[in-house]
Amino acid sequence: MGSEHQHLLLHTEVRWLSRGKILNRLFELRQEVHMFLLEQKSAFSSLFENQDWVCRLAYLADIFDKLNDLNLSMQGFRTDELSLNSKMCAFIKKLEFWLKKVQRNSVSVFPTLDKFADDSEIDNLNTICDCIREHLTKLRDELVSYFPSIMNQDRTQDWIQNPFVEDVTSSSGLSDKLTENLIELASDRTLELKFQNVTVSQFWLEVKGEYKELSEIAMSALLPFGSTYLCEVSFSAMSLIKTKHRNRLSVQNDLIIAVSDIEPRFDNILAKKQPQVSH
């Protein structure tokens, strides 16, 4: 039919990120799906003739796409609780911004819906905006109920994420001695240049020799797992390593290599092995 895509996507709870993708794909292929349903004489074909329903589909494609972006940004090996809190707080503030736009009957923050509304010259956009406003309000309230303290961020840990911000010591919550140490660290131009070229965790590990107590406090906030990403990666790796053909295999060492981004020192490993010599 000359379509950009050849297939519809299927949603599965195991791969939950697919939910946003199937909505986008369904919206892009809505005319082709409509024709197919008409040929099959399905009652669902009437839905694609309903502008109100297609508008809701376009909105869901947009909002799930934004949720997917949030979820993907919170995954990875080097995430910490402080950065994840910031991302979740930013998303809730975005929801409030989207709410204000929708209250003015503007859907410009939802590109798929906005383009469809312009192309189709929808008359009942006010009704659609009321539905969107209700959904965004419930979504915001739900996220706030999960993270009740997310909007009241603790500023006493800002120095961990960036100790070189001006006046960061005023809200550090540290003792007088540690505040003086923080001032010394923040005034060191060499360390400031180093901070720009390494991760936050690497920086605090490198200054541990000179600022031991500050480093330990910082690492105690950065080390806890902020999400279950590493656990999920480990389970996925283990399912590939330990199959029914190797069910008695001890996977500990193999699993460490599979999920770690540290390159093994093969020279040292091979040096400890006894080569098999011919008789």
Side-chain angles (χ1 to χ4, degrees), residues 80-114:
D80 57 79
E81 187 177 340
L82 299 180
S83 63
L84 296 185
N85 280 342
S86 299
K87 290 178 180 180
M88 183 57 67
C89 180
F91 187 79
I92 294 176
K93 290 181 179 179
K94 287 180 184 179
L95 282 172
E96 295 174 349
F97 168 68
W98 300 336
L99 264 172
K100 292 179 181 178
K101 295 285 289 186
V102 174
Q103 286 172 351
R104 297 195 294 268
N105 292 330
S106 171
V107 293
S108 59
V109 292
F110 304 111
T112 305
L113 174 59
D114 188 42

Side-chain angles (χ1 to χ4, degrees), residues 45 71 91 133 145-146 167 197 219 224-225 241 255 265:
S45 62
N71 287 323
F91 187 79
R133 184 167 58 251
S145 69
Y146 273 109
D167 294 332
N197 298 319
M219 292 309 298
F225 295 123
I241 296 171
L255 194 59
R265 298 176 181 175

Side-chain angles (χ1 to χ4, degrees), residues 44-63:
F44 292 114
S45 62
S46 61
L47 294 175
F48 291 89
E49 301 168 3
N50 185 335
Q51 280 193 341
D52 182 78
W53 186 88
V54 177
C55 283
R56 293 167 188 260
L57 174 63
Y59 163 70
L60 287 176
D62 282 328
I63 194 64

Side-chain angles (χ1 to χ4, degrees), residues 24 29 48 51 59 93 134 182 197 202 208 273 277:
N24 273 311
L29 294 176
F48 291 89
Q51 280 193 341
Y59 163 70
K93 290 181 179 179
E134 181 182 358
L182 181 58
N197 298 319
Q202 287 176 326
K208 186 175 182 179
K273 300 297 182 181
V277 296

Side-chain angles (χ1 to χ4, degrees), residues 55-166:
C55 283
R56 293 167 188 260
L57 174 63
Y59 163 70
L60 287 176
D62 282 328
I63 194 64
F64 272 104
D65 191 50
K66 294 178 184 296
L67 286 169
N68 282 357
D69 291 340
L70 172 66
N71 287 323
L72 288 173
S73 70
M74 299 177 73
Q75 296 183 22
F77 286 97
R78 292 186 175 86
T79 57
D80 57 79
E81 187 177 340
L82 299 180
S83 63
L84 296 185
N85 280 342
S86 299
K87 290 178 180 180
M88 183 57 67
C89 180
F91 187 79
I92 294 176
K93 290 181 179 179
K94 287 180 184 179
L95 282 172
E96 295 174 349
F97 168 68
W98 300 336
L99 264 172
K100 292 179 181 178
K101 295 285 289 186
V102 174
Q103 286 172 351
R104 297 195 294 268
N105 292 330
S106 171
V107 293
S108 59
V109 292
F110 304 111
T112 305
L113 174 59
D114 188 42
K115 186 177 185 305
F116 177 75
D118 289 340
D119 295 343
S120 304
E121 298 180 356
I122 297 178
D123 299 327
N124 61 335
L125 188 59
N126 293 344
T127 305
I128 302 298
C129 287
D130 291 339
C131 179
I132 295 174
R133 184 167 58 251
E134 181 182 358
H135 179 260
L136 289 176
T137 301
K138 290 181 178 180
L139 180 58
R140 180 199 58 190
D141 294 342
E142 192 74 15
L143 288 175
V144 172
S145 69
Y146 273 109
F147 311 100
S149 61
I150 200 75
M151 301 304 293
N152 300 319
Q153 287 184 300
D154 186 5
R155 314 304 301 187
T156 59
Q157 292 185 318
D158 285 355
W159 63 272
I160 297 175
Q161 294 178 294
N162 190 348
F164 301 98
V165 176
E166 187 176 356

Side-chain angles (χ1 to χ4, degrees), residues 16 25 87 108 110 121 171-173 192 196 199 228 235 248 254:
W16 46 269
R25 181 66 60 87
K87 290 178 180 180
S108 59
F110 304 111
E121 298 180 356
S171 59
S172 63
E192 185 175 0
Q196 297 172 2
T199 64
T228 60
F235 278 119
R248 298 184 64 183
D254 298 309

Side-chain angles (χ1 to χ4, degrees), residues 17-34:
L17 281 175
S18 63
R19 180 174 294 162
K21 294 180 179 179
I22 65 153
L23 291 169
N24 273 311
R25 181 66 60 87
L26 178 61
F27 183 82
E28 292 172 2
L29 294 176
R30 63 188 183 280
Q31 295 178 352
E32 291 83 353
V33 173
H34 180 218

